[in-house]
Amino acid sequence: MSFEPLLMSRLKDARRVLVAGAGGGFDVYAGLPLALELREAGHEVHLASLSFSHLYGLPGEVWLEPELARITPDTASAERYFPERTLARWLRLHGLPDTVWAFGSVGVKPLRAAYRALVRHLEIDAIVLVDGGTDILMCGDEAGLGTPEEDMASLAAVAGMPEVATRLVACLGFGVDAYHGVNHSLVLENLAALDRDGGYLGAFSLTRQSRSGQLYLDAVEHARAAFPEHPSIVQGSVAAALRGEFGDVRFTDRTNGTALFVNPLMSMYFTVTVEALAARNRYLDRIERTVLMRQISTVIEEFRDELPAQRPPRQFPH
């Protein structure tokens, strides 16, 4: 009997895998353990991120296409907050391939064009979108959606790329999005529905004992030291859970006034297929023609205004 996660089984025949942070900022760090495990298994792995940094001041030579920049440890930028470059510098410290591709924070049409350009350039045959948290799993009718704009731009962009045969989603940080109003009973309800649809690939744990877990902790600490004034709440919470901490763990002043619930579920990956997740989203078709990120926000607001009712939050019964 094999207990290999289905996510890894689906990627077994992929030669070149793109692991991409779906929601911007430090989401790409949630994909780092997967990238390390895939590389150890013999795959060629590339990292990418929808960037929150101001990319337009970057030198011309970094641009492969509009909204797609190749970031290395030496990329010149006036931006202090630059998670992609920070990750590239960490990769170099560990002797790993140190390019992190950065997508502009734009609407679906230009973002899909950038994804297609990167897929062609690198000859990618599998994409794993990674969400730090689980708000990418929201369908749109829930009482709280978290911060959906970037996640939905990435999901819609990749969902419209049938030329890539294997397209998966992995979420790390279950419970973190309560900080942004997500009810996690509804997350579980959505996962059950995806399972009925054949799109849920199960869950598995990142462990501190694994090499990828140890390197992840090191990368998160390296990023925290680079941005002490703005550490990632999501990755900090996952790292705390991975260290075995529990409850209202304090690792940044950014969470003052909010009671955190760090627990072992935060260090688990929940995995689904892009096709099934996109099919269950109730407004994804409406953002197909967006060019700007703010247009996605407007579409989501309009959709929610039309709903006769939202699914109310539910408490865990135990």
Side-chain angles (χ1 to χ4, degrees):
M1 181 180 294
S2 172
F3 289 99
E4 180 181 63
L6 274 177
L7 178 100
M8 295 302 187
S9 298
R10 292 287 183 97
L11 294 169
K12 187 162 289 185
D13 294 329
R15 296 170 302 155
R16 300 180 182 91
V17 182
L18 179 66
V19 176
F26 287 97
D27 267 15
V28 64
Y29 278 71
L32 182 59
L34 295 177
L36 293 168
E37 291 290 342
L38 288 166
R39 190 168 283 138
E40 185 71 19
H43 301 269
E44 181 181 316
V45 185
H46 300 271
L47 291 166
S49 171
L50 192 152
S51 184
F52 283 166
S53 301
H54 295 100
L55 301 178
Y56 300 114
L58 295 178
E61 63 268 17
V62 308
W63 295 96
L64 180 68
E65 294 282 344
E67 311 303 344
L68 176 60
R70 181 177 185 268
I71 308 303
T72 71
D74 304 317
T75 299
S77 173
E79 286 282 297
R80 173 165 168 73
Y81 178 83
F82 204 168
E84 293 81 15
R85 186 176 62 184
T86 301
L87 179 55
R89 289 175 173 174
W90 180 87
L91 290 166
R92 176 177 286 180
L93 285 173
H94 289 268
L96 296 164
D98 57 14
T99 290
V100 180
W101 295 91
F103 296 114
S105 184
V106 291
V108 173
K109 287 182 68 177
L111 184 57
R112 184 179 294 145
Y115 261 99
R116 280 198 161 122
L118 188 57
V119 164
R120 287 194 301 268
H121 179 68
L122 298 175
E123 299 181 345
I124 294 297
D125 46 24
I127 298 174
V128 182
L129 288 176
V130 183
D131 183 26
T134 53
D135 54 354
I136 198 172
L137 301 176
M138 299 289 97
C139 299
D141 61 351
E142 299 87 354
L145 299 185
T147 54
E149 291 82 1
E150 290 81 12
D151 286 330
M152 292 304 107
S154 298
L155 177 63
V158 173
M161 296 175 61
E163 66 271 24
V164 181
T166 304
R167 291 163 292 158
L168 309 173
V169 175
C171 303
L172 181 68
F174 182 89
V176 171
D177 293 313
Y179 183 74
H180 289 126
V182 169
N183 177 262
H184 287 79
S185 290
L186 297 183
V187 172
L188 295 175
E189 183 178 16
N190 290 352
L191 286 170
L194 285 163
D195 197 8
R196 292 194 298 274
D197 294 343
Y200 179 48
L201 303 181
F204 58 94
S205 291
L206 176 63
T207 65
R208 187 172 72 253
Q209 292 81 7
S210 66
R211 179 176 179 271
S212 58
Q214 293 170 5
L215 288 172
Y216 170 79
L217 287 173
D218 188 79
V220 171
E221 177 56 27
H222 176 266
R224 187 202 62 77
F227 304 111
E229 72 284 0
H230 196 86
S232 170
I233 294 171
V234 172
Q235 307 308 327
S237 297
V238 173
L242 198 57
R243 292 191 297 266
E245 299 184 54
F246 184 84
D248 192 13
V249 179
R250 293 288 133 188
F251 53 86
T252 172
D253 292 341
R254 293 183 64 205
T255 60
N256 285 349
T258 302
L260 301 182
F261 183 51
V262 170
N263 66 86
L265 290 175
M266 286 184 173
S267 57
M268 293 184 69
Y269 282 103
F270 291 83
T271 61
V272 302
T273 67
V274 163
E275 296 93 329
L277 185 58
R280 290 203 60 82
N281 187 282
R282 296 187 57 182
Y283 60 83
L284 209 65
D285 59 328
R286 301 189 184 197
I287 66 173
E288 270 292 306
R289 300 185 64 81
T290 56
V291 176
L292 304 173
M293 190 63 70
R294 65 173 177 268
Q295 291 175 308
I296 297 177
S297 300
T298 300
V299 169
I300 294 173
E301 290 172 8
E302 290 174 349
F303 165 77
R304 288 173 70 75
D305 286 343
E306 296 170 10
L307 286 173
Q310 296 176 356
R311 272 193 283 160
R314 298 167 57 185
Q315 286 189 324
F316 284 106
H318 302 289

